[in-house]
Amino acid sequence: MTDTTQTETAAIEPRLIVETGIDRRVAEIIEPTIEQIGYRLVRVRLSAQNGATLQIMCERPDGTMTVEDCEQVSMAVSPVLDVEDPIDKAYHLEVSSPGMDRPMVRKSDFSRWLGHLLKCETSILVDSRKRFRGKIVATDENGFTLERDQPAAGEEPTVVIPFTALAEGKLILTDELIRDALAADKKAKAAQAANQNDEDGDDEE
């Protein structure tokens, strides 16, 4: 698979976890616009912070997100939200990156962060519980395998969680995650710079 194909696939990959209520309405309004300018929506959340704050969390398909990227997304979605007007009160718009201890919302997130600690909740009982914490040790099309952080007496050391049962998932910040996230970010930005140089060279020709 080429890098271009991977990027295209990442861009259109649906989210496993979607919002409810007003958050879902906002997500439905802004997601096509965000995808059109080359980003992926991670999460929408309207909170009571500073009166009312609409947080839009998004990223490039390669997982990076700069301050300039946040500004670009903000400028793109603001007029769309003004027209649709889904929120019936004044609010502060905040566009951000997912951060290192990111929400896990797509299947590719689990393969990308294989080997790292995760805490998650399921919508149904899986192996007699709904809350889990452990290292992602395997993933496939149907779900992922966690190596439990602190298995209780009688519990298997690993548990397989179907993607269809996932209600919420988030990486746990560790030294290893910080190291790998910084390395991935550096690699992605180097690839972006190389692509930009190639494009500049083509323009000159």
Side-chain angles (χ1 to χ4, degrees), residues 25 50 56 60 77 129 138 201:
R25 174 68 183 134
N50 297 328
I56 298 172
R60 288 175 178 261
V77 301
R129 63 162 64 201

Side-chain angles (χ1 to χ4, degrees), residues 137-170:
V137 293
T139 182
D140 60 24
E141 182 63 25
N142 300 315
F144 58 96
T145 303
L146 279 188
E147 184 179 272
R148 298 181 200 262
D149 200 12
Q150 295 176 324
E155 285 186 333
E156 293 293 326
T158 61
V159 59
V160 177
I161 299 175
F163 285 127
T164 52
L166 186 66
E168 187 176 351
K170 188 177 182 182

Side-chain angles (χ1 to χ4, degrees), residues 68-142:
E68 291 76 19
D69 291 327
C70 291
E71 290 173 351
Q72 187 174 348
V73 170
S74 181
M75 286 189 293
V77 301
S78 290
V80 179
L81 289 169
D82 287 344
V83 170
E84 295 291 338
D85 199 21
I87 302 169
D88 61 358
K89 57 185 173 182
Y91 62 89
H92 171 68
L93 178 62
E94 177 185 289
V95 178
S96 70
S97 72
M100 291 183 184
D101 52 344
R102 56 168 303 132
M104 305 286 272
V105 298
R106 290 180 170 87
K107 292 179 181 180
S108 60
D109 292 339
F110 291 85
S111 53
R112 176 176 284 175
W113 298 108
L114 199 67
H116 289 283
L117 276 176
L118 170 83
K119 59 181 178 181
C120 65
E121 291 189 29
T122 55
S123 56
I124 58 173
L125 288 174
V126 176
D127 201 14
S128 302
R129 63 162 64 201
K130 286 188 173 184
R131 291 186 178 182
F132 301 88
R133 176 187 162 113
K135 184 187 294 184
I136 308 167
V137 293
T139 182
D140 60 24
E141 182 63 25
N142 300 315

Side-chain angles (χ1 to χ4, degrees), residues 161-204:
I161 299 175
F163 285 127
T164 52
L166 186 66
E168 187 176 351
K170 188 177 182 182
L171 289 178
I172 297 171
L173 199 60
T174 62
D175 290 342
E176 291 78 11
L177 177 59
I178 293 170
R179 180 196 65 212
D180 288 357
L182 290 174
D185 189 64
K186 184 177 180 180
K187 183 178 179 182
K189 286 177 178 174
Q192 288 173 21
N195 288 338
Q196 186 61 49
N197 289 337
D198 289 344
E199 289 172 6
D200 291 345
D202 292 340
D203 290 342
E204 288 172 7

